[in-house]
Amino acid sequence: MKEKRTLMLPGPTPIPERARLAGATEMIGHREVECEELLKEVVDGLKYVFQTENDVLVLTCSGTGGLEGSITNTLSRGDKVLSLCTGAFGERYATIAEKYGLEVERLDVSWGEAVDPKRVEEKLESYKEGEIKAILMTHNETSTGVINHPEPIGKLARKYNCLLLIDAVSSLAGIELKTDKWGADVVVTSSQKALMTPPGLCLVSVSHRALKAYETSDLPKFYLDFKRAKDRYDAKNQTPATPAISVLYVLREVLRDIKEEGLENVFKRHEIVTKAIRLSMKAIGLELLVDDEVASKTVTAVRLPEGISYSVLRSNLKDKYNVYITGSKGQLQGKVFRIGHLGNVSRMDILSTISALEFVLLDLGFELELGAGLAAAQKVFYEEERS
Amino acid sequence: MKEKRTLMLPGPTPIPERARLAGATEMIGHREVECEELLKEVVDGLKYVFQTENDVLVLTCSGTGGLEGSITNTLSRGDKVLSLCTGAFGERYATIAEKYGLEVERLDVSWGEAVDPKRVEEKLESYKEGEIKAILMTHNETSTGVINHPEPIGKLARKYNCLLLIDAVSSLAGIELKTDKWGADVVVTSSQKALMTPPGLCLVSVSHRALKAYETSDLPKFYLDFKRAKDRYDAKNQTPATPAISVLYVLREVLRDIKEEGLENVFKRHEIVTKAIRLSMKAIGLELLVDDEVASKTVTAVRLPEGISYSVLRSNLKDKYNVYITGSKGQLQGKVFRIGHLGNVSRMDILSTISALEFVLLDLGFELELGAGLAAAQKVFYEEERS
């Protein structure tokens, strides 16, 4: 008998059964009232999750498309932006900006650390007033498993009068992000992460400041034009082009679930899972890449022990236990493995993963006490739920 | 009891049951071998449908995104292109080109007529050699229900040494399009039309000439960059960003079905359905917008009879019979209704639609002989299958 799949990737993530089946609902026309109602319910649900009263746009593309749109809709050729690079996804954001002819100033942070707002302020101080048009930041740096806190950066964006564009692809609906309160001008996420939906949709909140910036932005855009999307939605609760309707069906169900669970409880659940994973890794004798203070609540990077190859670890977990983990990129390639724990990941999924990891590591000659990791995680679940 | 839905739109189209349910298959990682195999099978199936040995790229976006990509990946700012405008979608293609700073020369054709290759040649002759960099054409003009034949335009593209970019969104897999043989450099279609799949994927074939043109194209692109997509696929059978996996699940099933039916039979089926609809409309006493010679095999536009309002006709069909038809755009708004008959549309769907139309028209005071349209369609089905 093959084990059930335990998908512990930082996206795509497992989809709740009921929502997944909703994706197979009969097709409808995208200009029909049923589709308008579908989109409206999704957008309203997203506003709750984004914690925003701004517009939330539904784009049919991956998160990368939304990140591109965050730049092409608010900036102009030659504009200078400050990109806070804490890993591979921060780099990606900067690369997109460069592709569109922006002057990208990088604040490079060692991989595994979070952005220090003081360094950001020093950097901003070093430019002429108004020279930096936008700050690009990655809320949750998936490649390292680090959270960058948007709140202080939002304050700096106001102080230095620039936009704050946030890549929240692997954080939104898993880690607290108060879009309006923290002053985020564009927040981009995608469907296949903590939103527990198949890939295909990108969700973007856009502030009044960002819409104002759109008016003077001269970068070319059409398919990913935010204003076209906003105008069509405002007029008719529609999208300019045909949206990924079957993915919307799933997202609607998931958003109902999130509403029912309550956003605070969703965040709390992600925190407990994170704590369980981190303590269990330590109990196994593994070393975590990042400190507790900056640790992501959606993905955890663990250093590979001496002599254990990533590809062997990964294929053993997959082939013997149907447990999917992943590696990392760039300078961390081959040095860490990462466990995604966002969205529809249950306590039992975590326990399965830890157990499989113990089996495989032991087989590969790593010394550990069988069950130590499991017990550490169990203890977290047991106590947190009774506290 | 509510009637079953009969979705007779020119997209999204009804999805075969088995394929639709395949979309609810468990989620997988986009960097896993299972996803690579999925993508490979889809791309191979698409090459069969596109009748091409060129690259076929799988983009997560609507057809509009692919049309934008066809321009941004092959052309440069200020390039002159010839846009063959036969309706709303030809206009759309020209608009996208303009948005990206191209100089668009339009060959305007009356709505309801097809492009005359002689006029195209005259137009091309009127420019300096090599001045026109690309011809933009709409294979099947959805807004009017007219087919423009790509073959003679392909010959002109070679003679005048320019690219041929084809919007085949509402034609591919419904109407013959010999991509390689006819010299189409970029062909764009989307999943929710004759491919009978939910919206969310855009499929694009790219010729060697188009890839050559990419090298000198200076328009900015990232998410819709064809070369990034090609390189990632060539290297690993992957996409640069996370693709719409659940939509790929459906598309794989549909492509298996198409392969089994055989492309020639698929085209033949669309022709029979078209004939049945056209003859039945005439038998009812309605006037078709376009002549038989240029008539689309995927969508038919019918003139609204004097005194019958489109919105009343439409809502009656929908509310009483759960039959969905649509109107048209621009200069045809309120003047015609359109029946989509592409992809998974059966003889019985056609008969349901005709019958509902007869009921509603009669109720609205239009004089007709009940059953005349039905019988005309039946006759086509009966005879064609026995010929």
Side-chain angles (χ1 to χ4, degrees):
Chain A
M1 189 199 79
K2 195 170 183 182
E3 290 288 350
K4 289 177 205 70
R5 184 191 310 267
T6 306
L7 196 65
M8 302 297 289
L9 303 173
T13 61
I15 302 163
E17 178 87 355
R18 188 175 54 84
R20 189 148 55 83
L21 294 174
T25 305
E26 229 182 359
M27 192 40 57
I28 53 174
H30 64 303
R31 300 302 183 215
E32 303 295 334
V33 67
E34 299 152 280
C35 194
E36 291 164 12
E37 287 167 359
L38 169 62
L39 195 63
K40 172 86 167 63
E41 186 177 347
V42 163
V43 168
D44 289 346
L46 287 170
K47 286 184 179 183
Y48 169 70
V49 178
F50 275 79
Q51 303 186 51
T52 188
E53 291 178 10
N54 292 332
D55 294 296
V56 176
L57 309 176
V58 174
L59 310 174
T60 294
C61 60
S62 83
T64 306
L67 294 176
E68 175 173 320
S70 74
I71 288 163
T72 56
N73 284 279
T74 60
L75 296 160
S76 294
R77 201 169 171 81
D79 274 357
K80 198 171 273 182
V81 298
L82 177 61
S83 182
L84 313 182
C85 295
T86 55
F89 288 92
E91 281 300 324
R92 156 82 60 96
Y93 210 170
T95 301
I96 298 172
E98 283 168 347
K99 280 275 174 192
Y100 276 87
L102 301 192
E103 252 190 74
V104 179
E105 303 290 317
R106 281 179 163 76
L107 180 72
D108 283 311
V109 176
S110 299
W111 285 35
E113 290 175 18
V115 163
D116 177 357
K118 277 188 210 132
R119 282 190 61 203
V120 178
E121 177 147 27
E122 281 165 23
K123 192 88 179 168
L124 287 167
E125 269 298 326
S126 72
Y127 297 98
K128 279 181 292 193
E129 210 185 305
E131 196 177 350
I132 295 289
K133 303 293 182 198
I135 302 170
L136 278 47
M137 78 176 287
T138 315
H139 184 203
N140 184 65
E141 177 50 64
T142 321
S143 62
T144 60
V146 161
I147 298 181
N148 294 301
H149 288 298
E151 190 172 14
I153 312 299
K155 284 181 183 153
L156 291 173
R158 288 304 83 76
K159 182 171 173 187
Y160 291 88
N161 195 28
C162 60
L163 295 173
L164 174 58
L165 314 182
I166 301 185
D167 170 352
V169 169
S170 64
S171 65
L172 200 103
I175 303 170
E176 178 90 87
L177 204 178
K178 296 180 191 287
T179 298
D180 291 359
K181 203 170 170 196
W182 294 350
D185 292 304
V186 180
V187 173
V188 178
T189 197
S190 55
S191 50
Q192 80 279 12
K193 305 281 181 169
L195 286 173
M196 312 175 259
T197 295
L201 289 175
C202 178
L203 306 318
V204 184
S205 74
V206 186
S207 74
H208 295 290
R209 273 183 304 271
L211 288 172
K212 186 91 185 156
Y214 174 95
E215 301 301 331
T216 55
S217 157
D218 72 1
L219 294 174
K221 56 245 170 199
F222 189 80
Y223 181 64
L224 297 171
D225 188 319
F226 287 180
K227 192 69 183 350
R228 279 181 76 229
K230 173 180 162 51
D231 289 349
R232 188 82 188 208
Y233 185 77
D234 287 350
K236 296 188 165 189
N237 291 345
Q238 293 180 354
T239 50
T242 320
I245 293 172
S246 62
V247 185
L248 282 171
Y249 285 146
V250 181
L251 185 52
R252 171 166 60 183
E253 296 304 318
V254 165
L255 289 167
R256 286 174 181 170
D257 290 350
I258 289 178
K259 190 76 189 258
E260 197 184 316
E261 183 175 359
L263 206 47
E264 287 312 311
N265 293 326
V266 170
F267 296 146
K268 181 73 188 160
R269 179 162 53 74
H270 280 80
E271 278 168 23
I272 294 172
V273 160
T274 302
K275 189 173 173 188
I277 287 186
R278 291 177 66 84
L279 288 177
S280 70
M281 292 301 117
K282 287 178 187 170
I284 290 174
L286 296 170
E287 197 187 334
L288 298 167
L289 179 70
V290 314
D291 293 339
D292 285 348
E293 299 74 49
V294 299
S296 165
K297 308 295 184 257
T298 57
V299 57
T300 296
V302 184
R303 287 194 190 278
L304 279 159
E306 196 67 30
I308 305 276
S309 121
Y310 164 65
S311 61
V312 172
L313 175 68
R314 172 185 157 73
S315 59
N316 270 275
L317 285 169
K318 180 176 157 180
D319 299 342
K320 294 186 184 157
Y321 305 102
N322 214 1
V323 169
Y324 289 75
I325 58 145
T326 188
S328 191
K329 296 158 183 259
Q331 53 186 260
L332 288 177
Q333 192 151 24
K335 293 185 182 158
V336 302
F337 65 90
R338 290 179 302 149
I339 301 172
H341 39 86
L342 64 172
N344 181 35
V345 166
S346 72
R347 290 160 301 193
M348 300 309 158
D349 291 330
I350 302 296
L351 297 179
S352 303
T353 305
I354 295 167
S355 176
L357 196 59
E358 289 186 345
F359 290 144
V360 170
L361 285 173
L362 204 56
D363 275 345
L364 295 177
F366 182 79
E367 279 183 38
L368 60 81
E369 190 194 334
L370 210 54
L374 264 191
Q378 269 191 309
K379 190 160 179 285
V380 171
F381 291 134
Y382 191 85
E383 289 177 358
E384 287 288 347
E385 280 164 22
R386 283 154 189 84
S387 69
Chain B
M1 189 199 79
K2 194 168 184 184
E3 290 287 351
K4 289 177 205 70
R5 184 192 310 268
T6 306
L7 196 66
M8 302 297 289
L9 303 173
T13 61
I15 302 162
E17 179 86 356
R18 188 175 54 84
R20 188 148 55 84
L21 294 175
T25 305
E26 229 182 0
M27 192 40 57
I28 54 174
H30 63 303
R31 300 303 183 213
E32 303 295 335
V33 66
E34 298 151 282
C35 193
E36 291 163 13
E37 287 167 0
L38 169 62
L39 194 63
K40 171 86 166 64
E41 185 176 347
V42 163
V43 168
D44 288 346
L46 287 170
K47 286 184 179 182
Y48 170 69
V49 178
F50 275 79
Q51 304 187 52
T52 188
E53 291 179 10
N54 292 332
D55 294 296
V56 176
L57 309 176
V58 174
L59 309 174
T60 294
C61 60
S62 83
T64 306
L67 294 176
E68 174 173 320
S70 75
I71 288 162
T72 56
N73 283 280
T74 61
L75 296 160
S76 295
R77 201 168 170 81
D79 274 357
K80 198 171 273 182
V81 298
L82 177 61
S83 183
L84 313 181
C85 296
T86 54
F89 288 92
E91 281 300 324
R92 156 81 61 95
Y93 210 171
T95 301
I96 299 173
E98 283 168 348
K99 280 274 175 193
Y100 276 87
L102 301 192
E103 253 190 74
V104 179
E105 302 291 317
R106 280 179 164 76
L107 180 73
D108 283 311
V109 176
S110 299
W111 286 35
E113 290 176 18
V115 163
D116 177 357
K118 276 188 210 132
R119 282 190 61 204
V120 178
E121 178 147 27
E122 280 164 25
K123 191 89 179 167
L124 287 167
E125 270 298 327
S126 72
Y127 298 98
K128 279 181 294 193
E129 210 185 304
E131 196 177 351
I132 295 289
K133 303 294 182 198
I135 302 171
L136 279 47
M137 78 175 287
T138 315
H139 184 203
N140 184 65
E141 177 51 64
T142 322
S143 62
T144 60
V146 160
I147 298 181
N148 294 301
H149 288 298
E151 190 172 14
I153 312 299
K155 284 182 182 152
L156 291 173
R158 287 305 83 77
K159 181 171 173 187
Y160 291 88
N161 194 27
C162 59
L163 295 173
L164 174 59
L165 314 182
I166 302 185
D167 170 352
V169 168
S170 63
S171 65
L172 200 103
I175 303 170
E176 178 90 87
L177 204 178
K178 297 181 192 285
T179 298
D180 291 359
K181 203 171 170 195
W182 294 350
D185 291 304
V186 180
V187 173
V188 178
T189 197
S190 55
S191 50
Q192 80 280 11
K193 305 281 181 170
L195 286 173
M196 312 175 257
T197 295
L201 289 175
C202 178
L203 305 318
V204 184
S205 75
V206 187
S207 74
H208 295 291
R209 272 182 304 270
L211 287 172
K212 187 92 185 156
Y214 174 95
E215 301 301 331
T216 55
S217 156
D218 71 1
L219 294 174
K221 56 245 171 199
F222 189 81
Y223 181 63
L224 297 171
D225 188 319
F226 287 180
K227 192 68 184 348
R228 279 181 77 229
K230 172 179 162 53
D231 289 349
R232 188 81 187 208
Y233 185 77
D234 287 350
K236 295 187 165 189
N237 291 346
Q238 293 180 354
T239 50
T242 320
I245 293 172
S246 62
V247 185
L248 282 170
Y249 284 146
V250 182
L251 185 52
R252 171 167 58 184
E253 297 305 319
V254 165
L255 289 167
R256 286 174 182 170
D257 289 350
I258 290 178
K259 189 76 189 258
E260 198 184 315
E261 183 175 359
L263 206 47
E264 286 313 311
N265 293 326
V266 170
F267 296 146
K268 181 73 188 159
R269 178 162 54 75
H270 281 80
E271 277 168 24
I272 294 172
V273 159
T274 301
K275 189 173 173 188
I277 287 186
R278 291 177 65 84
L279 288 177
S280 70
M281 292 302 117
K282 287 178 186 169
I284 290 174
L286 296 170
E287 196 187 335
L288 298 167
L289 179 70
V290 314
D291 293 339
D292 285 348
E293 299 74 50
V294 299
S296 166
K297 308 295 184 258
T298 58
V299 58
T300 296
V302 184
R303 288 194 189 278
L304 279 158
E306 197 67 30
I308 306 277
S309 121
Y310 164 65
S311 60
V312 172
L313 175 68
R314 172 184 158 72
S315 58
N316 270 276
L317 285 169
K318 179 176 157 180
D319 299 342
K320 294 186 185 157
Y321 305 102
N322 214 1
V323 169
Y324 288 75
I325 58 144
T326 189
S328 191
K329 296 158 183 259
Q331 53 186 261
L332 288 177
Q333 192 150 24
K335 294 186 182 157
V336 303
F337 66 90
R338 290 179 302 149
I339 301 173
H341 39 86
L342 64 172
N344 182 35
V345 166
S346 73
R347 290 161 300 194
M348 299 308 158
D349 291 330
I350 302 296
L351 297 179
S352 303
T353 304
I354 294 167
S355 176
L357 196 60
E358 289 186 345
F359 290 144
V360 170
L361 285 172
L362 203 56
D363 275 345
L364 295 177
F366 182 79
E367 279 183 38
L368 60 82
E369 189 194 336
L370 210 54
L374 264 191
Q378 269 191 311
K379 190 160 179 285
V380 172
F381 291 135
Y382 191 85
E383 288 177 358
E384 287 288 347
E385 280 164 21
R386 283 157 189 81
S387 68

